[in-house]
Amino acid sequence: MFAIVEIAGLQYKVEQDQKLFVNRLKGDKGGKVSFDKILLTVNGAITVGAPAVSGITVEAEILDHVKADKVIIFKKKRRKGYEVKNGHRQSLTQIKITGITGFEAKKAEKPAKKTTKKADAAESAE
């Protein structure tokens, strides 16, 4: 069972007990967060959202706030004496997916099959 969830503008494939780094989230270390913008779920059957699957939530725990490795930005124009060296470290949050919930409610609210007039006419003609 896995889901594709949008977290802080980026899409991630998540499973139960998975650890991943995402862009900095609000919240303290040890806090709980939940994400409700689920784009796709696979639990025996594939459910694709349009644009999001309703009723499914992904629960996560914040493990730590860290910074990524430094990325060096170096600009140079040859023969002009222009050189600029700059660096950047992205702020990240490490989270652990504690659960994907809502599948039970989704099965319970499944509507009965709707029939159309054309289908009824085709069945009565046979």
Side-chain angles (χ1 to χ4, degrees), residues 23-38:
N23 285 334
R24 181 64 61 104
L25 298 175
K26 292 181 181 177
D28 296 327
K29 185 175 177 180
K32 306 280 187 201
V33 291
S34 65
F35 308 105
D36 57 351
K37 189 154 186 187
I38 312 302

Side-chain angles (χ1 to χ4, degrees), residues 52-109:
V53 179
S54 61
I56 307 289
T57 58
V58 172
E59 304 292 328
E61 177 184 357
I62 296 175
L63 298 178
D64 201 7
H65 294 292
V66 295
K67 283 192 159 190
D69 293 337
K70 182 174 270 194
V71 177
I72 304 297
I73 297 99
F74 184 74
K75 299 177 182 180
K76 178 180 179 176
K77 293 187 179 179
R78 56 186 201 158
R79 296 187 298 272
K80 306 293 185 222
Y82 173 77
E83 289 183 357
V84 174
K85 184 176 179 183
N86 204 345
H88 174 75
R89 291 186 71 185
Q90 185 72 28
S91 298
L92 301 174
T93 299
Q94 184 179 18
I95 61 173
K96 179 180 180 183
I97 305 300
T98 56
I100 303 172
T101 59
F103 288 111
E104 298 80 21
K106 189 143 180 74
K107 289 179 184 176
E109 67 182 39

